Amino acid sequence: MRIFEPHAHMYCRLTDDYERMALCGITAIQEPAFWLGTERTHPESFYDYFEHITVFERKRAEKYGIRHYQSIGVNPKDAENLEVTLPTVKGMRRFFDRPSVVGVGEIGLNNNTPNEMIGLEAQLDLAMELKLPALVHTPHVDKRK
């Protein structure tokens, strides 16, 4: 049986995990951008991360016969600082030319703040312009709002 894993954050996983995935029948994965645990303070920090998941992780997965696809975006936990978020959204366009980048994401809301909404709207506009799907993260708090 061949299996597609639609949401795998491999950046923080061991190479052993690729081996185990392959043994279980996973032949393709999609890695959405995620929050690394600390605030990024410059768009270049995002670009280094996008470079990593679109080049290094793709090669690492291929060693185990797994096709690696990515979604690129500013995660909701990173979106509060618009001085970083908005320039990042403009500058990340170059990554969508890569054949393995299949969507905008993981985007959405975390704390339902006005700044998060501005970042989300900018990324949804980009997804619509590029005619790509968006992987949306729902908030951890106050989901009904």
Side-chain angles (χ1 to χ4, degrees):
M1 176 188 309
R2 295 181 309 159
I3 301 170
F4 169 64
E5 168 55 62
H7 193 132
H9 295 294
M10 300 308 292
Y11 178 87
C12 60
R13 305 300 304 203
L14 302 173
T15 301
D16 290 353
D17 293 329
Y18 279 116
E19 181 179 25
R20 290 179 184 123
M21 292 169 99
L23 290 171
C24 291
I26 294 174
T27 59
I29 62 172
Q30 194 277 142
E31 179 163 4
F34 83 125
W35 182 62
L36 296 179
T38 60
E39 274 189 43
R40 295 179 186 128
T41 56
H42 304 283
E44 292 79 10
S45 299
F46 284 95
Y47 306 149
D48 287 342
Y49 169 65
F50 298 155
E51 186 72 22
H52 177 89
I53 65 172
T54 61
V55 176
F56 178 79
E57 287 302 333
R58 190 170 179 210
K59 289 178 184 175
R60 195 163 72 124
E62 286 174 0
K63 291 178 183 176
Y64 296 92
I66 298 173
R67 291 184 316 266
H68 187 282
Y69 300 96
Q70 311 84 36
S71 293
I72 301 298
V74 177
N75 187 279
K77 286 190 173 188
D78 283 310
E80 185 62 32
N81 183 348
L82 293 178
E83 290 179 14
V84 175
T85 298
L86 296 179
T88 299
V89 172
K90 286 182 183 177
M92 69 187 185
R93 290 176 168 274
R94 67 178 184 243
F95 292 96
F96 293 101
D97 292 336
R98 298 180 180 188
S100 60
V101 178
V102 296
V104 179
E106 176 173 356
I107 62 175
L109 299 170
N110 182 48
N111 292 316
N112 290 312
T113 67
N115 282 359
E116 288 175 358
M117 184 58 76
I118 291 168
L120 171 60
E121 289 172 351
Q123 293 181 91
L124 287 173
D125 288 345
L126 179 62
M128 287 174 41
E129 176 189 328
L130 298 174
K131 296 180 174 48
L132 289 172
L135 177 61
V136 178
H137 176 281
T138 58
H140 288 289
V141 297
D142 203 4
K143 283 187 186 282
R144 287 183 181 254
K145 180 181 173 186

